[in-house]
Amino acid sequence: LWVASFFGSVHGFDAVERGHAALLMATCMSLGALAYGPLEQKFGGAKRVIVAGCSITLGVLFALYVFGTTSADFSLALYALLGFFGMSYAILLAHARMFFPAHLLGRGVTTMNFLSIGGAGLLQFASGAFVEQRLTAGMGSAQVYSELHGLIGLLLLASFLLYLKVPARPQK
C-alpha cells in the first residue's frame, strides 16, 4: 500500500520511479509466493518456513524503521525482501487447514481468508489514518514512514508471537 507514497515522499521519486519501485516489490511478491511451496518441502514443514519467513520480514520492517530514510537503494532492497519473504500467506493457510476437521474444512478456510483479507483491509484503513494524522500534525514524511514501518513491525511481532504457540501438526 505504501511503497509508492514512501518513495515519493521520503526519497523524492517521481511517478515513473515510484512505479518501478512498486513493480520491483510486486515482482518479488510473485517470486516469493512461488518459492514458499518448494521451501516448505525442502525444509520439512510449513511452520519452519513460516517462522523463517516471518522472522526475516520482521527484520526487514525494523530495518526500514531504523534505516529506511537513509538510502533509496537500501530501501529498495528492503522492499524487495519485504515483498519476497512477506508472501507466506499461502503456506500459513495450508498450515491452518490441517487443524480443521474434514467436515469443517470449507468453513475453516473461508474463515481464515475472511480474517486475513479483513485484517489487511483494516490495516490499510488504520495506517492511512495514522499517516494522515501525523502529517496533518506537521510531522515530517521521513519520521511518519519510519514510525509506520515500526508500527506494522510491532503488529506482525504480536501476531508472530501468538503463532509460535501453534503446534507444527495437529495433536491427535
Side-chain angles (χ1 to χ4, degrees):
L1 175 65
W2 294 108
V3 61
S5 181
F6 167 72
F7 282 103
S9 298
V10 174
H11 294 294
F13 281 24
D14 65 24
V16 171
E17 292 168 322
R18 290 191 311 264
H20 288 158
L23 178 62
L24 172 66
M25 186 178 188
T27 300
C28 290
M29 290 171 72
S30 297
L31 294 172
L34 293 172
Y36 267 103
L39 288 172
E40 178 194 9
Q41 292 177 357
K42 181 174 181 166
F43 292 107
K47 183 149 185 179
R48 287 182 181 174
V49 174
I50 293 165
V51 167
C54 279
S55 296
I56 293 168
T57 301
L58 280 167
V60 169
L61 284 167
F62 289 119
L64 281 164
Y65 169 69
V66 175
F67 304 111
T69 62
T70 58
S71 163
D73 289 339
F74 186 59
S75 294
L76 281 169
L78 290 173
Y79 264 85
L81 290 172
L82 186 64
F84 186 88
F85 289 103
M87 290 305 295
S88 61
Y89 175 70
I91 297 302
L92 183 62
L93 187 61
H95 185 219
R97 76 185 296 272
M98 290 192 295
F99 293 89
F100 296 110
H103 71 284
L104 293 175
L105 187 58
R107 290 181 199 168
V109 171
T110 299
T111 300
M112 290 293 299
N113 274 321
F114 176 77
L115 291 173
S116 175
I117 293 167
L122 287 174
L123 181 60
Q124 289 179 15
F125 176 77
S127 64
F130 176 87
V131 168
E132 183 178 347
Q133 183 274 328
R134 281 170 168 60
L135 290 174
T136 302
M139 189 179 287
S141 293
Q143 185 176 355
V144 170
Y145 285 100
S146 178
E147 287 184 7
L148 178 66
H149 291 125
L151 178 61
I152 292 171
L154 288 173
L155 292 171
L156 179 59
L157 177 61
S159 61
F160 179 65
L161 291 174
L162 290 172
Y163 177 74
L164 289 175
K165 296 178 183 206
V166 174
R169 298 225 172 262
Q171 317 249 315
K172 299 216 178 192

